[in-house]
């Protein structure tokens, strides 16, 4: 499965010409900004709450549903075929399992996502239909991130939420990948083999930057939703609190709906 050619020594010039290295360089600043959003800083400190994680899962589900359906639809495209690894990388089924664990069998009726997630999803649909080669940028930034930092976040999540087993954490598991590091080498090698014109390569680099920006917007929107939901919960602690105390699930749903409406209005009212 893994080619020995991955371990051949490459010159500095060859490395700099690799698409994977060019994406890494082009997105360095955006990567740092994404890691330093309020939501991700809390996550890295082990301060993620069940409420935060459940809402994050909802957004991840919508993003991966769009990404993987577009990858499937364009699997024979010359730019997509080399980096198409559904068995090893697909996250949609694992996200569905996690959502069912936390929300119950009717989880599909309870998925709530902010405006930024909708924009991310729409972007993936648009390029999947019009410029499939740009999917390379999104697949690279998402999947290799999952295989890298995602593994650490899985352990943090389990500890933060006090989970005694791996149930609810399927998203972080890659049973089809025996060695994440070796697989990432294979993936980069395949991506570097994609034949692109200079114009197409420039567009892929630009799209990789956009992918990070979309992720930052999702993190910020989720944080706003949760902050507004918390404020809504506090405001209900006085008059009418008894009505909501009997149904904590309803209380959370109402808070998130208010938050979603507020965030959406702020985004589109400008």
């Amino acid at each position: 499965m893994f080619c020995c050619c991955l371990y051949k020594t490459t010159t500095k010039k060859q490395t700099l010409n690799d698409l994977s290295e060019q994406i890494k360089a082009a997105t360095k600043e955006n990567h740092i900004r994404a890691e330093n959003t309020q939501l991700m800083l809390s996550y890295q400190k082990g301060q993620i709450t069940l409420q935060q994680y459940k809402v994050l899962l909802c957004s991840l589900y919508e993003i991966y549903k769009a990404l993987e359906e577009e990858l499937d639809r364009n699997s024979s495209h010359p730019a997509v075929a080399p980096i198409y690894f559904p068995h090893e990388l697909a996250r949609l089924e694992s996200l569905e399992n996690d959502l069912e664990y936390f929300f119950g069998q009717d989880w599909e009726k309870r998925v709530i996502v902010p405006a930024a997630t909708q924009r991310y999803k729409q972007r993936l649909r648009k390029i999947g239909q019009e410029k499939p080669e740009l999917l390379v940028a999104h697949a690279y930034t998402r999947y290799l991130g999952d295989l890298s930092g995602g593994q650490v976040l899985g352990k943090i999540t389990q500890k933060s939420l006090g989970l005694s087993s791996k149930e609810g954490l399927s998203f972080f598991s890659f049973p089809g990948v025996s060695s994440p590091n070796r697989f990432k080498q294979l993936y980069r090698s395949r991506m570097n083999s994609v034949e692109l014109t200079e114009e197409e390569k420039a567009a892929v680099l630009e799209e990789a930057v956009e992918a990070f920006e979309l992720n930052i917007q999702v993190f910020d929107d989720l944080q706003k939703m949760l902050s507004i939901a918390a404020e809504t919960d506090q405001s209900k602690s006085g008059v009418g609190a008894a009505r909501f105390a009997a149904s904590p699930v309803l209380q959370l749903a109402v808070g998130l709906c208010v938050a979603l409406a507020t965030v959406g209005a702020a985004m589109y009212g400008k």
Side-chain angles (χ1 to χ4, degrees):
M1 177 178 176
F2 297 95
C3 302
C4 60
C5 62
L6 293 176
Y7 304 99
K8 288 183 178 179
T9 302
T10 57
T11 66
K12 185 175 182 180
K13 183 176 180 180
Q14 286 175 319
T15 300
L16 291 175
N17 286 332
D18 287 347
L19 181 59
S20 60
E21 290 299 317
Q22 290 180 350
I23 288 179
K24 183 178 179 180
T27 61
K28 182 178 180 179
E29 180 181 339
N30 308 82
H31 194 171
I32 294 172
R33 285 177 52 224
E35 290 181 338
N36 284 279
T37 58
Q38 187 176 347
L39 184 65
M40 284 297 101
L41 286 174
S42 296
Y43 211 136
Q44 293 167 42
K45 293 177 183 177
Q47 298 172 349
I48 188 75
T49 66
L50 178 59
Q51 182 181 2
Q52 287 175 318
Y53 186 61
K54 287 167 70 174
V55 179
L56 178 60
L57 279 178
C58 291
S59 279
L60 289 173
Y61 171 75
E62 292 295 328
I63 292 167
Y64 277 97
K65 180 176 173 60
L67 174 61
E68 293 182 359
E69 286 180 355
E70 292 306 320
L71 287 173
D72 290 344
R73 195 163 62 82
N74 292 284
S75 60
S76 61
H77 187 280
V80 175
I83 53 93
Y84 183 62
F85 292 95
H87 174 69
E88 292 85 356
L89 297 177
R91 301 288 82 205
L92 194 56
E93 184 177 347
S94 61
L95 282 165
E96 290 173 347
N97 291 335
D98 290 345
L99 286 166
E100 182 173 344
Y101 176 80
F102 287 111
F103 286 98
Q105 293 185 345
D106 62 342
W107 64 268
E108 290 182 274
K109 299 177 182 178
R110 303 170 66 184
V111 170
I112 300 174
V113 294
T117 302
Q118 298 293 349
R119 291 197 298 274
Y120 197 160
K121 180 175 71 173
Q122 290 167 5
R123 178 60 184 171
L124 290 167
R125 296 295 188 190
K126 181 178 176 63
I127 64 175
Q129 294 172 6
E130 300 176 2
K131 296 182 177 180
E133 65 274 9
L134 298 185
L135 291 171
V136 173
H138 289 276
Y140 174 75
T141 55
R142 290 228 64 94
Y143 289 129
L144 265 66
D146 296 340
L147 284 169
S148 300
Q151 301 306 292
V152 176
L153 290 179
K155 295 178 181 178
I156 293 175
T157 304
Q158 183 175 15
K159 184 177 181 180
S160 299
L161 302 185
L163 301 176
S164 59
S165 69
K166 296 292 186 180
E167 285 189 287
L169 301 172
S170 297
F171 175 71
F172 301 106
S173 177
F174 289 82
V177 178
S178 59
S179 170
N181 287 333
R182 293 177 66 189
F183 185 83
K184 284 187 290 185
Q185 290 177 320
L186 170 65
Y187 193 96
R188 291 190 184 97
S189 177
R190 290 285 191 89
M191 190 173 74
N192 294 335
S193 72
V194 173
E195 295 184 5
L196 299 169
T197 65
E198 288 304 311
E199 183 179 355
E200 289 173 334
K201 182 178 288 188
V204 169
L205 295 178
E206 185 177 339
E207 192 65 27
V209 172
E210 178 66 12
F212 271 100
E213 287 302 311
L214 288 168
N215 274 288
I216 291 170
Q217 291 171 23
V218 167
F219 293 154
D220 288 344
D221 254 18
L222 288 174
Q223 189 62 47
K224 289 177 184 177
M225 282 179 62
L226 292 163
S227 297
I228 296 171
E231 291 173 4
T232 303
D233 288 345
Q234 290 177 0
S235 69
K236 296 184 184 300
S237 62
V239 180
R243 289 180 297 172
F244 284 85
S247 179
V249 173
L250 176 61
Q251 186 176 7
L252 172 61
V254 171
L256 289 178
C257 285
V258 171
L260 182 60
T262 304
V263 172
M267 288 292 177
Y268 295 110
K270 293 182 179 179

